[in-house]
């Protein structure tokens, strides 16, 4: 979270994550170049610059696949994969710089030794616009790197706040368009010069896995949205959420009070219970899949926090989410499905005490 501009919002965990990420990228490049140098020798030897171009290109496309898999994996198995989302923006910016390195190396190697500037040389090298197989695949790569540039440049919370979450999210959905462009760039470019079927098989398998994960996630979300998962409704309209014992300490039970209603996360913390909307005001993350840390409900996606008793981020932050009223009857937890305005005070209901509501 940030209420002011900070160039990079590092903490101890993010620093460790970034170091491991940098080591992984350098390790991948070293292994790729090393193994390729030992494999392609003699008349089949490949120049060091070409190996570096191939290494950065394959590294970037691999990283993009992993980035696009993080979202659906976290939705399908939140306990194991949700922490990956917390650092996804650092992963994405790193991927952009790897892709940019690939682009610069290509410009230098294939366009910097003629009489025209490298960009013009690349754009006029192949003009077979009427052919699908022979189409200048470089254009797909250039378009993709432009999209990735805008996404990396606006990845900071400063732009999220100024563009608004809705427009920021819309802009960053462009990653899927960039992915399609990069698949075309690889399929119509590098792969056509390869004799081995391994490259197209790996590229196709990656796309199939990615599409399958997104389809499974969409089906799961549609089923959850259509399900009214409460035990019953009292005469006064309050809904029976669950037994107190069904809600783990510092965790939540997420329910849909009625068809078409917003999901509600009922958290158990200390000796009480509190209910808030299940949508983080930051990027719409599923708050109910997070947990209470240091007394604050913490979104699993990017660590945004809210106080359980009023749905407000702790000062000096200003984010707010709707709150709900609870009562306990015996062991049963009942919820008033009518939300209060974001940031409204609702004292936690005590476990073991009969509510006065």
């Amino acid at each position: 979270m940030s209420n002011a501009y900070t160039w990079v919002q590092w903490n101890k965990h993010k620093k460790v994550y970034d170091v491991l990420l940098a080591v992984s990228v350098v390790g991948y490049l070293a292994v790729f170049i090393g193994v390729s140098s030992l494999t392609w020798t003699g008349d089949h030897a490949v120049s060091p610059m070409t190996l570096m171009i191939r290494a950065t290109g394959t590294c970037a496309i691999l990283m993009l696949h992993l980035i696009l898999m993080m979202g659906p994996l976290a939705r399908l198995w939140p306990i194991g994969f949700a922490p990956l989302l917390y650092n996804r923006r650092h992963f994405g910016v790193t991927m952009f710089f790897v892709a940019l390195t690939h682009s610069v190396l290509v410009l230098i190697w294939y366009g910097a030794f003629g009489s025209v500037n490298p960009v013009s040389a690349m754009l006029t090298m192949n003009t077979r616009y009427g052919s699908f197989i022979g189409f200048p695949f470089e254009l797909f790569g250039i378009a993709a790197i432009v999209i990735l540039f805008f996404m990396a440049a606006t990845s900071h919370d400063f732009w999220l706040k100024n563009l608004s979450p809705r427009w920021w999210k819309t802009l960053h959905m462009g990653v899927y368009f960039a992915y399609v462009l990069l698949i075309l760039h690889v399929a119509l470019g590098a792969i056509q010069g390869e004799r081995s079927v391994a490259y197209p098989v790996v590229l196709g398998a990656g796309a199939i896995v990615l599409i399958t994960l997104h389809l499974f996630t969409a089906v799961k979300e549609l089923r959850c949205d259509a399900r009214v998962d409460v035990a019953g409704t009292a005469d006064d309209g309050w809904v029976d959420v669950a037994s107190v014992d069904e809600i783990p300490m510092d965790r939540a039970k997420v329910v849909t009070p009625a068809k078409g209603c917003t999901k509600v996360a009922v958290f158990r913390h200390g000796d009480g219970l509190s209910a808030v909307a299940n949508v983080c005001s930051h990027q719409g993350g599923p708050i109910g899949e997070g947990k209470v840390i240091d007394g604050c409900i913490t979104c699993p996606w990017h660590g945004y926090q809210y106080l359980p008793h009023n749905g407000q981020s702790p000062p000096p932050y200003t984010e707010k989410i709707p709150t709900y009223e609870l009562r306990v009857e015996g062991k049963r937890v009942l919820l008033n499905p009518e939300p209060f305005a974001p940031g409204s005070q609702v004292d936690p209901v005590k476990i073991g005490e009969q509510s006065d509501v």
Side-chain angles (χ1 to χ4, degrees):
M1 295 181 65
S2 175
N3 69 324
Y5 183 80
T6 305
W7 187 54
V8 180
Q9 295 165 26
W10 267 318
N11 55 35
K12 179 182 176 182
H13 298 292
K14 284 184 178 291
K15 287 180 179 177
V16 172
Y17 179 91
D18 288 348
V19 168
L20 291 175
L21 181 59
V23 170
S24 299
V25 170
V26 173
Y28 176 89
L29 299 178
V31 170
F32 186 99
I33 293 172
V35 172
S36 298
S37 299
L38 294 174
T39 303
W40 302 100
T41 58
D43 294 339
H44 300 289
V46 181
S47 70
M49 179 63 99
T50 301
L51 287 179
M52 191 63 188
I53 289 172
R54 293 180 179 180
T56 50
T58 55
C59 185
I61 197 74
L62 174 62
M63 293 178 73
L64 184 56
H65 275 86
L66 294 176
I67 290 168
L68 295 177
M69 288 178 185
M70 289 180 187
L73 286 174
R75 304 301 298 135
L76 293 171
W77 299 286
I79 299 299
F81 291 99
L84 294 176
L85 290 176
Y86 188 61
N87 298 295
R88 185 167 59 174
R89 277 188 278 179
H90 285 216
F91 204 115
V93 172
T94 304
M95 184 275 295
F96 164 71
F97 280 111
V98 173
L100 182 63
T101 302
H102 170 79
S103 303
V104 171
L105 292 177
V106 168
L107 281 177
I108 293 173
W109 190 239
Y110 295 105
F113 301 105
S115 57
V116 297
N117 69 70
V119 175
S120 297
M122 290 299 300
L123 293 176
T124 56
M125 188 178 297
N126 178 6
T127 56
R128 297 170 61 189
Y129 296 102
S131 169
F132 176 72
I133 298 299
F135 193 85
F137 65 92
E138 296 87 354
L139 295 181
F140 294 121
I142 293 172
I145 202 69
V146 170
I147 294 173
L148 295 176
F149 165 76
F150 279 106
M151 295 181 60
T154 59
S155 64
H156 197 280
D157 275 350
F158 172 82
W159 289 105
L160 175 64
K161 182 177 180 62
N162 285 278
L163 292 175
S164 80
R166 177 185 176 188
W167 287 108
W168 188 90
K169 189 72 175 179
T170 301
L171 172 65
H172 282 248
M173 291 296 284
V175 67
Y176 291 99
F177 187 48
Y179 174 74
V180 173
L181 291 173
L182 287 177
I183 292 295
L184 290 172
H185 174 70
V186 176
L188 298 179
I191 280 185
Q192 293 198 30
E194 294 291 339
R195 296 179 179 177
S196 172
V197 298
Y199 288 101
V201 168
V202 170
L203 188 66
I208 291 172
V209 169
L210 199 58
I211 293 170
T212 303
L213 283 173
H214 280 76
L215 288 175
F216 273 110
T217 304
V219 170
K220 179 186 176 185
E221 290 299 307
L222 288 173
R223 287 177 176 174
C224 289
D225 290 343
R227 186 173 64 227
V228 178
D229 45 5
V230 295
T233 303
D235 293 339
D236 56 3
W238 289 50
V239 296
D240 187 341
V241 172
S243 167
V244 170
D245 297 332
E246 294 179 48
I247 306 176
M249 180 59 71
D250 293 330
R251 293 284 186 176
K253 180 176 178 61
V254 179
V255 296
T256 304
K259 193 171 183 179
C261 283
T262 301
K263 293 179 182 177
V264 179
V266 180
F267 277 91
R268 180 173 181 173
H269 55 99
D271 60 350
L273 297 160
S274 295
V276 297
N278 191 45
V279 181
C280 180
S281 65
H282 176 223
Q283 282 190 32
I287 287 180
E289 294 175 12
K291 59 183 179 180
V292 177
I293 300 176
D294 297 331
C296 291
I297 297 170
T298 305
C299 179
W301 280 14
H302 302 100
Y304 271 60
Q305 292 187 308
Y306 303 91
L307 295 167
H309 65 275
N310 59 17
Q312 296 184 24
S313 294
Y317 307 107
T318 58
E319 287 76 13
K320 299 177 183 177
I321 54 177
T323 53
Y324 292 80
E325 201 172 11
L326 295 173
R327 72 174 187 246
V328 176
E329 294 182 356
K331 282 281 189 177
R332 305 304 299 180
V333 180
L334 279 78
L335 166 79
N336 181 353
E338 294 298 326
F340 289 104
S344 297
Q345 172 92 20
V346 179
D347 291 333
V349 62
K350 300 293 184 183
I351 298 172
E353 296 179 5
Q354 293 297 317
S355 304
D356 297 329
V357 178

